[in-house]
PDB file of all heavy atoms in Angstrom:
ATOM      1  N   VAL A 872     109.391 124.514 102.490  1.00 98.00           N
ATOM      2  CA  VAL A 872     108.548 125.511 102.419  1.00 98.00           C
ATOM      3  C   VAL A 872     107.428 125.311 103.414  1.00 98.00           C
ATOM      4  O   VAL A 872     106.656 124.329 103.366  1.00 98.00           O
ATOM      5  CB  VAL A 872     107.897 125.760 101.011  1.00 98.00           C
ATOM      6  CG1 VAL A 872     106.747 126.813 100.841  1.00 98.00           C
ATOM      7  CG2 VAL A 872     108.881 125.848  99.924  1.00 98.00           C
ATOM      8  N   VAL A 873     107.126 126.430 104.236  1.00 98.00           N
ATOM      9  CA  VAL A 873     106.121 126.109 105.384  1.00 98.00           C
ATOM     10  C   VAL A 873     104.929 126.949 105.083  1.00 98.00           C
ATOM     11  O   VAL A 873     105.066 128.209 104.894  1.00 98.00           O
ATOM     12  CB  VAL A 873     106.699 126.490 106.800  1.00 98.00           C
ATOM     13  CG1 VAL A 873     105.588 126.330 107.832  1.00 98.00           C
ATOM     14  CG2 VAL A 873     107.915 125.623 107.037  1.00 98.00           C
ATOM     15  N   PHE A 874     103.698 126.474 104.975  1.00 98.00           N
ATOM     16  CA  PHE A 874     102.431 127.134 104.849  1.00 98.00           C
ATOM     17  C   PHE A 874     101.784 127.129 106.250  1.00 98.00           C
ATOM     18  O   PHE A 874     101.516 125.996 106.773  1.00 98.00           O
ATOM     19  CB  PHE A 874     101.593 126.382 103.877  1.00 98.00           C
ATOM     20  CG  PHE A 874     102.205 126.356 102.435  1.00 98.00           C
ATOM     21  CD1 PHE A 874     102.851 125.287 101.931  1.00 98.00           C
ATOM     22  CD2 PHE A 874     101.850 127.438 101.632  1.00 98.00           C
ATOM     23  CE1 PHE A 874     103.280 125.295 100.793  1.00 98.00           C
ATOM     24  CE2 PHE A 874     102.348 127.362 100.236  1.00 98.00           C
ATOM     25  CZ  PHE A 874     103.077 126.304  99.915  1.00 98.00           C
ATOM     26  N   ALA A 875     101.435 128.309 106.700  1.00 98.00           N
ATOM     27  CA  ALA A 875     100.739 128.475 107.951  1.00 98.00           C
ATOM     28  C   ALA A 875     100.361 129.949 108.177  1.00 98.00           C
ATOM     29  O   ALA A 875     100.951 130.748 107.512  1.00 98.00           O
ATOM     30  CB  ALA A 875     101.624 127.925 109.164  1.00 98.00           C
ATOM     31  N   GLY A 876      99.436 130.138 109.080  1.00 98.00           N
ATOM     32  CA  GLY A 876      99.160 131.582 109.375  1.00 98.00           C
ATOM     33  C   GLY A 876      99.623 131.945 110.628  1.00 98.00           C
ATOM     34  O   GLY A 876      99.387 133.150 110.973  1.00 98.00           O
ATOM     35  N   CYS A 877     100.348 131.173 111.404  1.00 97.00           N
ATOM     36  CA  CYS A 877     100.800 131.568 112.762  1.00 97.00           C
ATOM     37  C   CYS A 877     102.277 131.129 112.872  1.00 97.00           C
ATOM     38  O   CYS A 877     102.791 130.300 112.094  1.00 97.00           O
ATOM     39  CB  CYS A 877      99.941 130.819 113.833  1.00 97.00           C
ATOM     40  SG  CYS A 877     100.063 129.069 113.753  1.00 97.00           S
ATOM     41  N   PRO A 878     103.128 131.637 113.786  1.00 98.00           N
ATOM     42  CA  PRO A 878     104.377 131.102 113.983  1.00 98.00           C
ATOM     43  C   PRO A 878     104.325 129.768 114.529  1.00 98.00           C
ATOM     44  O   PRO A 878     103.509 129.319 115.366  1.00 98.00           O
ATOM     45  CB  PRO A 878     104.933 132.053 115.051  1.00 98.00           C
ATOM     46  CG  PRO A 878     104.059 133.282 115.045  1.00 98.00           C
ATOM     47  CD  PRO A 878     102.673 132.784 114.635  1.00 98.00           C
ATOM     48  N   LEU A 879     105.329 128.925 114.102  1.00 98.00           N
ATOM     49  CA  LEU A 879     105.464 127.492 114.545  1.00 98.00           C
ATOM     50  C   LEU A 879     106.750 127.407 115.157  1.00 98.00           C
ATOM     51  O   LEU A 879     107.827 128.119 114.886  1.00 98.00           O
ATOM     52  CB  LEU A 879     105.287 126.570 113.281  1.00 98.00           C
ATOM     53  CG  LEU A 879     103.869 126.559 112.702  1.00 98.00           C
ATOM     54  CD1 LEU A 879     103.914 125.742 111.385  1.00 98.00           C
ATOM     55  CD2 LEU A 879     102.918 125.956 113.623  1.00 98.00           C
ATOM     56  N   ASP A 880     106.875 126.308 115.829  1.00 97.00           N
ATOM     57  CA  ASP A 880     108.355 126.076 116.500  1.00 97.00           C
ATOM     58  C   ASP A 880     109.078 125.434 115.321  1.00 97.00           C
ATOM     59  O   ASP A 880     108.882 124.293 114.942  1.00 97.00           O
ATOM     60  CB  ASP A 880     108.034 124.950 117.564  1.00 97.00           C
ATOM     61  CG  ASP A 880     109.403 124.517 118.275  1.00 97.00           C
ATOM     62  OD1 ASP A 880     110.486 124.814 117.697  1.00 97.00           O
ATOM     63  OD2 ASP A 880     109.286 123.878 119.262  1.00 97.00           O
ATOM     64  N   LEU A 881     110.080 126.129 114.893  1.00 98.00           N
ATOM     65  CA  LEU A 881     110.840 125.801 113.655  1.00 98.00           C
ATOM     66  C   LEU A 881     112.257 125.365 114.030  1.00 98.00           C
ATOM     67  O   LEU A 881     113.185 125.337 113.243  1.00 98.00           O
ATOM     68  CB  LEU A 881     110.970 126.870 112.622  1.00 98.00           C
ATOM     69  CG  LEU A 881     109.637 127.323 112.026  1.00 98.00           C
ATOM     70  CD1 LEU A 881     109.831 128.468 110.975  1.00 98.00           C
ATOM     71  CD2 LEU A 881     108.903 126.104 111.347  1.00 98.00           C
ATOM     72  N   THR A 882     112.489 125.073 115.429  1.00 97.00           N
ATOM     73  CA  THR A 882     113.880 124.860 115.772  1.00 97.00           C
ATOM     74  C   THR A 882     114.551 123.678 115.051  1.00 97.00           C
ATOM     75  O   THR A 882     115.561 123.738 114.461  1.00 97.00           O
ATOM     76  CB  THR A 882     113.823 124.633 117.376  1.00 97.00           C
ATOM     77  OG1 THR A 882     113.234 125.673 117.944  1.00 97.00           O
ATOM     78  CG2 THR A 882     115.350 124.417 117.862  1.00 97.00           C
ATOM     79  N   GLU A 883     113.737 122.589 114.988  1.00 98.00           N
ATOM     80  CA  GLU A 883     114.313 121.342 114.447  1.00 98.00           C
ATOM     81  C   GLU A 883     114.194 121.494 112.810  1.00 98.00           C
ATOM     82  O   GLU A 883     115.161 121.056 112.115  1.00 98.00           O
ATOM     83  CB  GLU A 883     113.486 120.197 114.863  1.00 98.00           C
ATOM     84  CG  GLU A 883     114.135 118.869 114.399  1.00 98.00           C
ATOM     85  CD  GLU A 883     113.424 117.668 114.740  1.00 98.00           C
ATOM     86  OE1 GLU A 883     112.409 117.685 115.409  1.00 98.00           O
ATOM     87  OE2 GLU A 883     113.876 116.468 114.537  1.00 98.00           O
ATOM     88  N   VAL A 884     113.247 122.004 112.321  1.00 98.00           N
ATOM     89  CA  VAL A 884     113.128 122.440 110.973  1.00 98.00           C
ATOM     90  C   VAL A 884     114.423 123.103 110.412  1.00 98.00           C
ATOM     91  O   VAL A 884     114.963 122.732 109.450  1.00 98.00           O
ATOM     92  CB  VAL A 884     111.863 123.106 110.556  1.00 98.00           C
ATOM     93  CG1 VAL A 884     111.846 123.594 109.005  1.00 98.00           C
ATOM     94  CG2 VAL A 884     110.641 122.337 110.885  1.00 98.00           C
ATOM     95  N   SER A 885     114.758 124.182 111.158  1.00 98.00           N
ATOM     96  CA  SER A 885     115.898 124.983 110.757  1.00 98.00           C
ATOM     97  C   SER A 885     117.144 124.103 110.760  1.00 98.00           C
ATOM     98  O   SER A 885     118.140 124.364 109.993  1.00 98.00           O
ATOM     99  CB  SER A 885     115.961 126.198 111.548  1.00 98.00           C
ATOM    100  OG  SER A 885     116.978 126.989 111.217  1.00 98.00           O
ATOM    101  N   GLU A 886     117.245 123.223 111.734  1.00 97.00           N
ATOM    102  CA  GLU A 886     118.470 122.332 111.916  1.00 97.00           C
ATOM    103  C   GLU A 886     118.507 121.385 110.674  1.00 97.00           C
ATOM    104  O   GLU A 886     119.630 121.059 110.155  1.00 97.00           O
ATOM    105  CB  GLU A 886     118.337 121.648 113.230  1.00 97.00           C
ATOM    106  CG  GLU A 886     118.548 122.527 114.424  1.00 97.00           C
ATOM    107  CD  GLU A 886     118.406 121.645 115.723  1.00 97.00           C
ATOM    108  OE1 GLU A 886     117.930 120.492 115.628  1.00 97.00           O
ATOM    109  OE2 GLU A 886     118.661 122.284 116.789  1.00 97.00           O
ATOM    110  N   LEU A 887     117.414 120.862 110.198  1.00 97.00           N
ATOM    111  CA  LEU A 887     117.434 119.788 109.179  1.00 97.00           C
ATOM    112  C   LEU A 887     117.514 120.367 107.726  1.00 97.00           C
ATOM    113  O   LEU A 887     118.031 119.716 106.872  1.00 97.00           O
ATOM    114  CB  LEU A 887     116.197 119.047 109.393  1.00 97.00           C
ATOM    115  CG  LEU A 887     116.035 118.098 110.642  1.00 97.00           C
ATOM    116  CD1 LEU A 887     114.692 117.499 110.746  1.00 97.00           C
ATOM    117  CD2 LEU A 887     116.986 117.079 110.705  1.00 97.00           C
ATOM    118  N   ALA A 888     116.937 121.564 107.625  1.00 98.00           N
ATOM    119  CA  ALA A 888     116.777 122.041 106.192  1.00 98.00           C
ATOM    120  C   ALA A 888     117.921 122.997 105.876  1.00 98.00           C
ATOM    121  O   ALA A 888     118.579 123.578 106.753  1.00 98.00           O
ATOM    122  CB  ALA A 888     115.400 122.901 106.084  1.00 98.00           C
ATOM    123  N   ASP A 889     118.357 123.099 104.598  1.00 98.00           N
ATOM    124  CA  ASP A 889     119.340 123.925 104.084  1.00 98.00           C
ATOM    125  C   ASP A 889     118.712 125.302 103.860  1.00 98.00           C
ATOM    126  O   ASP A 889     119.453 126.343 103.850  1.00 98.00           O
ATOM    127  CB  ASP A 889     119.885 123.347 102.791  1.00 98.00           C
ATOM    128  CG  ASP A 889     120.644 122.071 103.080  1.00 98.00           C
ATOM    129  OD1 ASP A 889     121.560 122.039 103.807  1.00 98.00           O
ATOM    130  OD2 ASP A 889     120.232 121.146 102.409  1.00 98.00           O
ATOM    131  N   ALA A 890     117.516 125.406 103.528  1.00 98.00           N
ATOM    132  CA  ALA A 890     116.793 126.607 103.382  1.00 98.00           C
ATOM    133  C   ALA A 890     115.384 126.605 103.833  1.00 98.00           C
ATOM    134  O   ALA A 890     114.707 125.376 103.771  1.00 98.00           O
ATOM    135  CB  ALA A 890     116.781 127.047 101.869  1.00 98.00           C
ATOM    136  N   VAL A 891     114.928 127.566 104.523  1.00 98.00           N
ATOM    137  CA  VAL A 891     113.457 127.585 105.011  1.00 98.00           C
ATOM    138  C   VAL A 891     112.830 128.788 104.502  1.00 98.00           C
ATOM    139  O   VAL A 891     113.208 129.977 104.643  1.00 98.00           O
ATOM    140  CB  VAL A 891     113.397 127.569 106.616  1.00 98.00           C
ATOM    141  CG1 VAL A 891     111.992 127.522 107.058  1.00 98.00           C
ATOM    142  CG2 VAL A 891     114.250 126.313 107.141  1.00 98.00           C
ATOM    143  N   ILE A 892     111.789 128.554 103.743  1.00 98.00           N
ATOM    144  CA  ILE A 892     110.835 129.697 103.374  1.00 98.00           C
ATOM    145  C   ILE A 892     109.464 129.581 104.011  1.00 98.00           C
ATOM    146  O   ILE A 892     108.821 128.525 104.184  1.00 98.00           O
ATOM    147  CB  ILE A 892     110.561 129.486 101.841  1.00 98.00           C
ATOM    148  CG1 ILE A 892     111.840 129.805 101.044  1.00 98.00           C
ATOM    149  CG2 ILE A 892     109.385 130.459 101.297  1.00 98.00           C
ATOM    150  CD1 ILE A 892     111.683 129.500  99.531  1.00 98.00           C
ATOM    151  N   TYR A 893     109.006 130.753 104.580  1.00 98.00           N
ATOM    152  CA  TYR A 893     107.670 130.886 105.322  1.00 98.00           C
ATOM    153  C   TYR A 893     106.792 131.506 104.310  1.00 98.00           C
ATOM    154  O   TYR A 893     106.986 132.634 103.841  1.00 98.00           O
ATOM    155  CB  TYR A 893     107.736 131.561 106.575  1.00 98.00           C
ATOM    156  CG  TYR A 893     106.862 130.977 107.568  1.00 98.00           C
ATOM    157  CD1 TYR A 893     107.340 129.883 108.208  1.00 98.00           C
ATOM    158  CD2 TYR A 893     105.755 131.541 107.948  1.00 98.00           C
ATOM    159  CE1 TYR A 893     106.620 129.213 109.260  1.00 98.00           C
ATOM    160  CE2 TYR A 893     104.883 130.875 108.944  1.00 98.00           C
ATOM    161  CZ  TYR A 893     105.402 129.789 109.661  1.00 98.00           C
ATOM    162  OH  TYR A 893     104.584 129.190 110.630  1.00 98.00           O
ATOM    163  N   ALA A 894     105.732 130.824 103.733  1.00 98.00           N
ATOM    164  CA  ALA A 894     104.944 131.275 102.706  1.00 98.00           C
ATOM    165  C   ALA A 894     103.558 131.806 103.144  1.00 98.00           C
ATOM    166  O   ALA A 894     102.745 132.231 102.404  1.00 98.00           O
ATOM    167  CB  ALA A 894     104.743 130.225 101.785  1.00 98.00           C
ATOM    168  N   TRP A 895     103.183 131.560 104.539  1.00 98.00           N
ATOM    169  CA  TRP A 895     101.810 131.952 104.971  1.00 98.00           C
ATOM    170  C   TRP A 895     100.858 131.111 104.213  1.00 98.00           C
ATOM    171  O   TRP A 895     101.012 130.012 103.787  1.00 98.00           O
ATOM    172  CB  TRP A 895     101.715 133.502 104.919  1.00 98.00           C
ATOM    173  CG  TRP A 895     102.807 134.266 105.493  1.00 98.00           C
ATOM    174  CD1 TRP A 895     103.662 134.974 104.916  1.00 98.00           C
ATOM    175  CD2 TRP A 895     103.147 134.454 106.948  1.00 98.00           C
ATOM    176  NE1 TRP A 895     104.467 135.618 105.720  1.00 98.00           N
ATOM    177  CE2 TRP A 895     104.335 135.264 106.977  1.00 98.00           C
ATOM    178  CE3 TRP A 895     102.574 133.819 108.115  1.00 98.00           C
ATOM    179  CZ2 TRP A 895     104.928 135.521 108.198  1.00 98.00           C
ATOM    180  CZ3 TRP A 895     103.282 134.151 109.212  1.00 98.00           C
ATOM    181  CH2 TRP A 895     104.360 135.022 109.262  1.00 98.00           C
ATOM    182  N   TYR A 896      99.748 131.789 103.897  1.00 98.00           N
ATOM    183  CA  TYR A 896      98.790 131.353 102.917  1.00 98.00           C
ATOM    184  C   TYR A 896      98.730 132.301 101.820  1.00 98.00           C
ATOM    185  O   TYR A 896      98.144 133.417 101.921  1.00 98.00           O
ATOM    186  CB  TYR A 896      97.384 131.183 103.527  1.00 98.00           C
ATOM    187  CG  TYR A 896      97.104 130.175 104.683  1.00 98.00           C
ATOM    188  CD1 TYR A 896      96.773 130.553 105.967  1.00 98.00           C
ATOM    189  CD2 TYR A 896      97.484 128.831 104.522  1.00 98.00           C
ATOM    190  CE1 TYR A 896      96.711 129.732 107.006  1.00 98.00           C
ATOM    191  CE2 TYR A 896      97.428 127.985 105.607  1.00 98.00           C
ATOM    192  CZ  TYR A 896      96.974 128.335 106.807  1.00 98.00           C
ATOM    193  OH  TYR A 896      96.911 127.570 107.878  1.00 98.00           O
ATOM    194  N   PRO A 897      99.472 131.960 100.624  1.00 98.00           N
ATOM    195  CA  PRO A 897      99.934 132.996  99.735  1.00 98.00           C
ATOM    196  C   PRO A 897      98.955 133.455  98.687  1.00 98.00           C
ATOM    197  O   PRO A 897      99.348 134.160  97.683  1.00 98.00           O
ATOM    198  CB  PRO A 897     101.131 132.429  99.218  1.00 98.00           C
ATOM    199  CG  PRO A 897     100.944 130.957  99.230  1.00 98.00           C
ATOM    200  CD  PRO A 897     100.110 130.768 100.396  1.00 98.00           C
ATOM    201  N   GLY A 898      97.678 133.029  98.663  1.00 98.00           N
ATOM    202  CA  GLY A 898      96.792 133.323  97.539  1.00 98.00           C
ATOM    203  C   GLY A 898      96.931 132.455  96.507  1.00 98.00           C
ATOM    204  O   GLY A 898      97.649 131.541  96.325  1.00 98.00           O
ATOM    205  N   GLU A 899      95.941 132.850  95.501  1.00 98.00           N
ATOM    206  CA  GLU A 899      95.863 131.967  94.284  1.00 98.00           C
ATOM    207  C   GLU A 899      97.070 131.872  93.425  1.00 98.00           C
ATOM    208  O   GLU A 899      97.256 130.828  92.872  1.00 98.00           O
ATOM    209  CB  GLU A 899      94.623 132.398  93.419  1.00 98.00           C
ATOM    210  CG  GLU A 899      94.976 133.840  92.829  1.00 98.00           C
ATOM    211  CD  GLU A 899      93.726 134.187  91.855  1.00 98.00           C
ATOM    212  OE1 GLU A 899      92.632 134.319  92.333  1.00 98.00           O
ATOM    213  OE2 GLU A 899      94.104 134.461  90.660  1.00 98.00           O
ATOM    214  N   GLN A 900      97.931 132.776  93.429  1.00 98.00           N
ATOM    215  CA  GLN A 900      99.180 132.641  92.723  1.00 98.00           C
ATOM    216  C   GLN A 900     100.326 132.251  93.620  1.00 98.00           C
ATOM    217  O   GLN A 900     101.522 132.432  93.164  1.00 98.00           O
ATOM    218  CB  GLN A 900      99.476 134.000  92.007  1.00 98.00           C
ATOM    219  CG  GLN A 900      98.613 134.317  90.890  1.00 98.00           C
ATOM    220  CD  GLN A 900      98.832 133.455  89.676  1.00 98.00           C
ATOM    221  OE1 GLN A 900     100.024 133.194  89.208  1.00 98.00           O
ATOM    222  NE2 GLN A 900      97.853 132.645  89.125  1.00 98.00           N
TER     223      GLN A 900
END
């Protein structure tokens, strides 16, 4: 699960992970 407000270089993350969720900064809930 990636928390960020901007696009990141996810090339290696995608290779290593079975699933990738981009959560941004998702608020109090």
Side-chain angles (χ1 to χ4, degrees):
V872 178
V873 182
F874 295 93
C877 64
L879 295 170
D880 179 348
L881 297 180
T882 307
E883 188 178 6
V884 172
S885 183
E886 292 172 354
L887 295 171
D889 298 303
V891 180
I892 291 173
Y893 221 77
W895 312 107
Y896 298 121
E899 65 177 59
Q900 286 292 305

